[in-house]
Amino acid sequence: MLLLGVALVLGGCKREEGIRTYNAPKDPPAGQPTLAAHPGGANPSTGGEIQWTAPKDWKPLGASGMSYATFQVSENPPIHLTITPLPATAGEVLPNVNRWRGQLGMTPTTEAKLPRDVKSIKVAGQDAQLVDLTSPTQQRMLGAIVPGAGKVWFFKLSGPADKIAPQRDTFEEFVKSVQFGAPSQASSAEAGKPIGEPPVPAGGNAAIEGIASYTLPEGWQIDPNPRPMRAGTIVVGGGDERADLAITRLGANFGDKLSNINRWRAQAGLPPVGDPGAAGGQDVTLAQGPAVIYDFAGPESAGKDRKRLVVAMTQFPGAQDVWFFRLLGPHDLVAKNKPAFEAFVKSLKFANQ
């Protein structure tokens, strides 16, 4: 998730050039700052879902893009720490570590070698993971994967190794200071708990911000409940046999192509790959331009718990945003609805395109 830099240019460029790695800003000055209390989140009067104790010389910059909060750790050179929440299902450690390794130009690791990069810590009484990576080019990243408030929170600080090293202990102390309030209704929904208000049927003209029109397949329903990081949610099926279609609109900085592919593979129960070409990808034409659809079927050994994930992504030439449409659910249900999914994405017309 968090995570991350997408620049998918689907017109006039080869598909393999579509998603590029975002180069994080260079990093912080030496010295161990002392700590002072700062409330977390966009509502400093209450602290919101998450609170922390931040170093007093870290400058809070508020929310930015996908980030729930950002701190300026250093002005010269400019270094920022970002805090980004994603759905609880995005917290698998190995895919996220490999995503970060990819951002540093490092090869993927394996489950057996994961302890070299990851340290288990306790945050707010829960198990969390502290990640420390240094590339052969002497770029270093400190990261943390912290569950809480029905989500998983990603903390990330990166830059030249010699600048990040003095921040190592302070970063860990900051992460360990995190406390959580009660999860929101939307957070509980993402964690797999009851959504509360049931989905209601909606026609093709139901509003999804940023999308001017679409054709909704028969039996699909718009979920009226807001979800973190989503422009909209569509429910396919019902009862115990139901799939979730997440509609996400992101800025151009969201992670390299391989990291996204491995994140989707992990959600389907598949191991990571080292080559994005191994994922295939089907070129399709939407109402206003091209897109790519990926299809990940989970292992047959999963039996009745077997998952399948179909995802379409597009960014039109000159557009500032990347759109993702991800259908995830029981294998047979998703397979049955794949033709309807393709028809749905081909019907999309985006606002201001």
Side-chain angles (χ1 to χ4, degrees), residues 9-25:
V9 181
L10 293 174
C13 294
K14 296 180 180 178
R15 174 154 42 93
E16 58 268 25
E17 297 173 343
I19 302 179
R20 299 191 175 96
T21 304
Y22 172 75
N23 294 319

Side-chain angles (χ1 to χ4, degrees), residues 31 72 81 86 107 114 124 138 140 142 157-158 185 220 232 238 243 258 279 283 289 302 304 311 320 322:
Q72 180 175 285
L81 180 142
L86 288 178
T107 58
L114 205 55
Q138 291 303 297
R140 187 170 180 180
L142 301 177
L157 178 66
S158 64
Q185 182 186 55
W220 289 22
L258 181 60
D283 293 314
K304 63 181 180 63
V311 59
Q320 297 300 311
V322 182

Side-chain angles (χ1 to χ4, degrees), residues 234-246:
I234 297 174
V235 176
V236 179
D240 294 334
E241 279 290 300
R242 137 178 163 173
D244 175 275
L245 196 161

Side-chain angles (χ1 to χ4, degrees), residues 18-344:
I19 302 179
R20 299 191 175 96
T21 304
Y22 172 75
N23 294 319
K26 296 185 180 180
D27 313 356
Q32 295 293 333
T34 57
L35 299 181
H38 289 281
N43 187 350
S45 65
T46 64
E49 300 170 83
I50 183 172
Q51 305 87 42
W52 49 66
T53 301
K56 65 181 181 182
D57 51 356
W58 287 9
K59 180 181 178 181
L61 302 178
S64 174
M66 288 186 64
S67 298
Y68 183 88
T70 302
F71 284 93
Q72 180 175 285
V73 175
S74 168
E75 184 174 358
N76 185 24
I79 300 171
H80 298 89
L81 180 142
T82 57
I83 303 167
T84 305
L86 288 178
T89 53
E92 296 93 344
V93 177
L94 181 61
N96 282 298
V97 170
N98 280 332
R99 173 172 55 79
W100 282 336
R101 288 177 66 91
Q103 291 173 9
L104 293 177
M106 302 170 69
T107 58
T109 190
T110 64
E111 196 78 43
K113 295 179 180 179
L114 205 55
R116 300 178 185 179
D117 298 335
V118 179
K119 170 185 175 182
S120 294
I121 60 174
K122 290 287 186 181
V123 177
Q126 300 296 316
D127 291 330
Q129 307 300 322
L130 201 66
V131 181
D132 190 344
L133 304 171
T134 302
S135 74
T137 59
Q138 291 303 297
Q139 290 292 303
R140 187 170 180 180
M141 177 186 297
L142 301 177
I145 304 172
V146 181
K151 305 175 186 177
V152 61
W153 300 77
F154 293 86
F155 297 74
K156 177 182 170 183
L157 178 66
S158 64
D162 62 334
K163 301 296 184 180
I164 293 296
Q167 298 290 339
R168 172 62 179 76
D169 292 342
T170 302
F171 178 84
E172 181 173 348
E173 186 177 357
F174 170 65
V175 172
K176 287 180 176 178
S177 77
V178 166
Q179 297 293 326
F180 294 99
S184 66
Q185 182 186 55
S187 301
S188 296
E190 284 296 342
K193 299 177 182 178
I195 293 176
E197 184 180 351
V200 296
N205 61 350
I208 296 178
E209 185 178 358
I211 298 179
S213 67
Y214 56 89
T215 300
L216 194 69
E218 183 178 356
W220 289 22
Q221 298 177 325
I222 301 294
D223 185 345
N225 297 282
R227 308 284 191 95
M229 316 304 296
R230 295 190 185 185
T233 301
I234 297 174
V235 176
V236 179
D240 294 334
E241 279 290 300
R242 137 178 163 173
D244 175 275
L245 196 161
I247 302 171
T248 309
R249 181 184 186 181
L250 303 174
N253 298 327
F254 186 66
D256 62 281
K257 184 176 183 179
L258 181 60
S259 297
N260 280 288
I261 286 170
N262 280 332
R263 176 167 52 85
W264 295 324
R265 287 179 60 86
Q267 290 173 349
L270 297 170
V273 294
D275 177 11
Q282 172 190 357
D283 293 314
V284 298
T285 301
L286 308 188
Q288 292 166 289
V292 182
I293 294 179
Y294 291 98
D295 188 348
F296 302 102
E300 293 183 7
S301 59
K304 63 181 180 63
D305 295 323
R306 189 184 185 194
K307 300 292 186 184
R308 187 162 179 172
L309 182 152
V310 182
V311 59
M313 59 183 183
T314 184
Q315 181 186 36
F316 300 115
Q320 297 300 311
D321 297 322
V322 182
W323 287 86
F324 296 85
F325 300 85
R326 186 219 64 187
L327 179 64
L328 173 64
H331 177 275
D332 292 349
L333 179 63
V334 172
K336 177 182 176 181
N337 281 275
K338 185 179 177 182
F341 173 84
E342 293 181 1
F344 168 71

